[in-house]
Amino acid sequence: MSTQAPIVIVGTGLSGYTLARELRKQDKQTPIVMVTADDGASYSKPMLSTGFTKGKDAEELIQAPPEQMEEQLDVTLKTFATVTGIDPDAHQLLLGDERLTYSKLVLAWGADVVRLSIPGDGKEHVFSINDLMDYRAFRKALDGSGDGARRVAIMGAGLIGCEFANDLRNGGHEVDVIAPDDRVMPGLLPEAAADAVLSGLTDLGARFHLGTVVDHIATADNGVRLTLANGETLDADLVLSAVGLRPRKELAADAGLDTGRGILVNRALETSAADIYSLGDCAEVDGMVLPYVMPLMACARALAKTLAGDRTEVAYGTMPVIVKTPSCPTAVCPPSADAEGDWEIEADGQNVRALFKSGDGQILGFAVTGSYAVEKQALSKEVPPIHG
Ligand code: FAD
C-alpha cells in the first residue's frame, strides 16, 4: 500500500461532508478523495420535507454545487461514481473496473428506502424521497402539469410521512395518508403525543386511513386508483412511499465486514476491518442505528480526530428529534430501549407533555407537542446523555 494513498470517504451526504469539514480543521495536508453515486451537491436532507412550507424547490435547496465543495474542503470529488465492492486486504475500493487505493476508508453511504412490491400497473406513479435527486423528480411530477393542486397518497405515517403530509398540505395539495398502525409515528411517539399530531394534521386537511395498507395500485384516467386492504378505494395523481429506510450494508457484508442492522462499528467508528470506518445512516454505532443529524455530527467530530491520529470515541449526548409538523409542533427524545419506567402524561387538546420517568422520578425520555414543544431544550437538559 502506498503511503501516498488518500483517505477515501464514500458519500457526500451530511455525514461525508461534515466529516471532511471536521477533518480539514485537524489536518490540512492529507489528500482526501470523496466518492459519490450522486451529483455531489451539498444540501441539508431534513429540508426536503419543508420545501413548500419554506417556498423552495429542489434547486433552491442546494447549499453549494460540487465544484464549490471540492474547493472549500480541498478534496478531490468523484461524482456519479458508484462503489461496487471493497477489497480490504488490498486497501482498495472497486468502482466497476476501476480500483482506488485508500490509506483509510470511510463508509458514509447512507440508507436505502424500503420499496414495497405492490401489485398493479401504477408503479411509475410511485415516488420515494431520500435525496435531492429523488426530490427533484417528485417535484417535477407534482409541479409538472402546472394545473395547481394535486392529490398525493402517502404510504406510511412515520416521521417522514407525517412531515410530507404537513408540507404538501402547506403547498395546497390534497393528501391521503395510509398506514398499517392505528396511530402515527408508532415507533417514536407515545400514544397521547401521536394523537395530538394526528389531530393537528387532520385539522390541516390531511385525510388518514390508519390500520390498513395499500393492496393494489392501478393506473386510472388522471393518475392512479389505490385499493386498500379495508376495501376502500382512493384516487390520486401521485403516490409517495415513506415506509422506512434500511442501512446500506450489503457491499460491506460482501467484503467480510461485520454487519447487524447496519455496518457494525464501535464507538471509535471502527468496523471489523483494519482502516475502514463508518458513520451516518449506514452505521450501527455501539449497537444503535440512529438515522438523524445529531448523532452523525457527533460521529463526524470524533472520527475526524481519529483520522488525524488521535483515536477518539464518540460520546452521544441527549439527542431530541424535532418533528417538522408545524400544524402540531413536536419534539421527542425517546427513552433508550432498556429504560425502565412509565409515561406520565399531561394533555390538553393538541398540547401534550409526556415524560418517561424512572421509579425514582428521573426523566429518561419525553415527547412534547403543541404549546409544550417549547420545553424541549429545558427537558433535554434533564435527560441523561446516551453515553453517560
Ligand atoms: P445520505 O445523505 O443518504 O448520503 C449517502 C451518500 O452516499 C450519498 O452521497 C450517496 O450518493 C452515496 N452513496 C450511496 N451508495 C453509494 C455507492 N454504492 N457508491 C458511491 N456512493 C454511494 N434527521 C434529523 O435529525 N432531523 C430531521 O428533521 C430530519 N428530517 C428528515 C427529512 C427527510 C425527508 C429525510 C429523508 C430524512 C430526515 N432526517 C432528519 C434524517 C437525516 O437527514 C439523515 O440521517 C442524514 O441526512 C443521513 O446522512 P448520510 O450522509 O448518512 O446519508
Side-chain angles (χ1 to χ4, degrees):
M1 186 189 68
S2 157
T3 51
Q4 298 301 308
I7 293 177
V8 175
I9 301 173
V10 185
T12 56
L14 283 169
S15 301
Y17 275 145
T18 307
L19 174 65
R21 196 170 291 116
E22 291 295 326
L23 184 52
R24 278 293 176 240
K25 289 183 195 166
Q26 312 279 332
D27 173 353
K28 302 217 180 325
Q29 305 302 325
T30 306
I32 301 175
V33 174
M34 299 191 71
V35 179
T36 179
D38 62 30
D39 62 5
S42 165
Y43 71 102
S44 174
K45 194 185 282 196
M47 296 299 109
L48 297 182
S49 49
T50 64
F52 287 106
T53 308
K54 298 223 154 78
K56 293 194 171 184
D57 64 19
E59 304 322 312
E60 289 164 324
L61 289 171
I62 296 177
Q63 292 172 328
E67 315 78 58
Q68 194 178 326
M69 294 309 290
E70 203 167 26
E71 199 185 316
Q72 239 176 46
L73 300 170
D74 188 18
V75 298
T76 303
L77 203 51
K78 287 172 90 71
T79 58
F80 299 111
T82 300
V83 173
T84 51
I86 307 166
D87 183 343
D89 294 334
H91 275 55
Q92 286 181 334
L93 202 56
L94 280 63
L95 300 145
D97 292 338
E98 193 190 334
R99 282 181 169 253
L100 181 61
T101 302
Y102 58 81
S103 58
K104 294 189 168 122
L105 172 66
V106 180
L107 306 176
W109 58 30
D112 278 319
V113 292
V114 173
R115 289 179 206 280
L116 302 175
S117 150
I118 298 176
D121 64 357
K123 282 186 189 59
E124 76 270 23
H125 296 270
V126 181
F127 293 78
S128 301
I129 301 175
N130 187 34
D131 59 35
L132 190 61
M133 296 202 301
D134 292 341
Y135 189 63
R136 191 176 285 136
F138 176 70
R139 284 293 294 257
K140 193 168 169 223
L142 190 69
D143 304 340
S145 72
D147 59 1
R150 313 291 307 275
R151 301 159 301 170
V152 183
I154 300 177
M155 297 194 289
L159 176 117
I160 309 263
C162 287
E163 290 190 352
F164 275 115
N166 201 136
D167 197 49
L168 287 162
R169 281 301 298 146
N170 286 355
H173 299 290
E174 282 189 50
V175 172
D176 283 279
V177 182
I178 307 103
D181 280 284
D182 55 9
R183 61 195 231 216
V184 302
M185 291 183 262
L188 199 59
L189 294 181
E191 195 169 355
D195 288 348
V197 174
L198 177 62
S199 158
L201 289 171
T202 304
D203 286 355
L204 192 66
R207 295 179 291 261
F208 280 81
H209 312 264
L210 298 177
T212 190
V213 291
V214 177
D215 263 357
H216 194 265
I217 304 177
T219 49
D221 291 347
N222 287 316
V224 283
R225 172 158 291 186
L226 289 80
T227 307
L228 311 190
N230 67 4
E232 251 184 286
T233 55
L234 296 173
D235 290 327
D237 297 303
L238 297 176
V239 180
L240 179 56
S241 174
V243 297
L245 291 173
R246 209 173 272 140
R248 293 188 177 111
K249 59 179 184 179
E250 285 72 22
L251 288 178
D254 291 349
L257 276 61
D258 290 346
T259 58
R261 284 173 299 147
I263 301 169
L264 290 183
V265 293
N266 58 18
R267 281 179 59 184
L269 293 319
E270 295 159 335
T271 68
S272 58
D275 298 323
I276 306 183
Y277 305 82
S278 185
L279 80 165
D281 281 8
C282 57
E284 180 173 341
V285 182
D286 191 27
M288 290 173 277
V289 175
L290 297 173
Y292 301 109
V293 176
M294 280 178 88
L296 73 81
M297 296 275 180
C299 288
R301 283 191 292 269
L303 183 52
K305 288 187 187 150
T306 298
L307 295 175
D310 172 19
R311 186 179 182 278
T312 303
E313 296 198 334
V314 67
Y316 283 158
T318 303
M319 298 195 286
V321 177
I322 314 292
V323 183
K324 300 186 294 302
T325 46
S327 62
C328 179
T330 299
V332 56
C333 184
S336 66
D338 58 355
E340 286 183 22
D342 292 298
W343 285 103
E344 259 180 40
I345 312 279
E346 263 175 79
D348 165 23
Q350 288 171 16
N351 309 313
V352 173
R353 181 198 282 127
L355 306 179
F356 189 86
K357 287 190 177 174
S358 65
D360 60 4
Q362 164 85 60
I363 299 175
L364 300 176
F366 65 83
V368 279
T369 70
S371 60
Y372 289 124
V374 294
E375 296 180 7
K376 59 184 179 283
Q377 260 147 357
L379 284 168
S380 294
K381 290 191 182 129
E382 297 198 36
V383 175
I386 294 178
H387 292 130

